[in-house]
Amino acid sequence: MKIKINQKDFEPIIDYNQIKKRIRLIGIQLNVAYENQHPVFVGVLNGCFMFMADLMKQIHIACEISFVKLSSYDGTERREQVNELIGLDANLEGREVVIIEDIVDSGNSLKHTLDLVNAQKPASVAVCTLLLKPYALKHTFDNIAYVGFEIANDFVVGYGLDYHGMGRTLPDIYREIKGKP
């Protein structure tokens, strides 16, 4: 089913059942990887809220949760500059850290988050992202360890991702339809 948000048309690409299955598998991987540790999961708001909430329901190990809030989009366009709206409030020194992202596309916000986290000298840092756009990356990362889905360089909404604040609460993920459908 196609949808319209602020005069843009979108079509579904990943339904909620696929998302739930993938999150269950990522949760198992994280439980095994951090079984005898006490990691801190750092969510990057606003986009991660649905993914992180569902993911944390699958985590059955001792852990802590923290958040940062960044802004790197202007509508559908990625900006080079990343604005930090809410800073990191947890002490990460010597800790195992897992950064939770909704999407990694250019990598600008992930680079900013990694700089914030690494400044505190954690024991390790892994990145867990629901969506990865490998062909949009402008940076190289060696710690993206958990990926839900690799997608094309399309603009997407739903399941936490928005367009001008709209579409975040959609359970499925949709991509923008370019040109005439």
Side-chain angles (χ1 to χ4, degrees), residues 130-156:
L130 178 64
L131 302 174
L132 175 66
K133 293 183 181 179
Y135 300 108
L137 284 172
K138 294 181 179 179
H139 305 277
T140 302
F141 301 102
D142 59 1
N143 53 356
I144 299 178
Y146 308 94
V147 176
F149 304 92
E150 285 190 10
I151 62 170
N153 194 13
D154 296 318
F155 183 69
V156 293

Side-chain angles (χ1 to χ4, degrees), residues 57 98 126 157 173:
K57 293 172 192 169
V98 181
V157 298
I173 296 174

Side-chain angles (χ1 to χ4, degrees), residues 45-158:
L45 295 171
N46 285 338
C48 83
F49 81 99
M50 287 181 80
F51 174 47
M52 190 162 179
D54 284 347
L55 181 61
M56 291 299 101
K57 293 172 192 169
Q58 302 300 317
I59 301 302
H60 307 295
I61 56 171
C63 65
E64 294 175 40
I65 297 171
S66 187
F67 295 94
V68 295
K69 184 173 181 179
L70 307 174
S71 174
S72 63
Y73 265 87
D74 181 17
T76 61
E77 300 299 315
R78 291 181 291 271
R79 292 189 314 240
E80 292 298 317
Q81 179 184 346
V82 176
N83 296 324
E84 190 175 321
L85 306 176
I86 298 174
L88 195 56
D89 67 352
N91 180 0
L92 304 177
E93 186 175 351
R95 302 289 306 276
E96 310 298 331
V97 177
V98 181
I99 296 171
I100 308 295
E101 280 272 17
D102 56 344
I103 187 168
V104 175
D105 44 32
S106 70
N108 290 338
S109 29
L110 178 57
K111 183 179 180 321
H112 185 88
T113 305
L114 285 166
D115 289 345
L116 285 174
V117 168
N118 286 325
Q120 292 199 26
K121 299 181 177 35
S124 70
V125 180
V127 176
C128 174
T129 183
L130 178 64
L131 302 174
L132 175 66
K133 293 183 181 179
Y135 300 108
L137 284 172
K138 294 181 179 179
H139 305 277
T140 302
F141 301 102
D142 59 1
N143 53 356
I144 299 178
Y146 308 94
V147 176
F149 304 92
E150 285 190 10
I151 62 170
N153 194 13
D154 296 318
F155 183 69
V156 293
V157 298

Side-chain angles (χ1 to χ4, degrees), residues 2-3 5 8-12 155 157 174-177:
K2 295 179 185 174
I3 61 169
I5 300 175
K8 289 193 179 290
D9 294 311
F10 294 87
E11 63 186 359
F155 183 69
V157 298
Y174 294 77
R175 76 170 157 222
E176 179 184 7
I177 301 170

Side-chain angles (χ1 to χ4, degrees), residues 34-48:
Y34 294 95
E35 183 177 19
N36 297 314
Q37 299 168 30
H38 189 109
V40 179
F41 291 91
V42 177
V44 182
L45 295 171
N46 285 338
C48 83

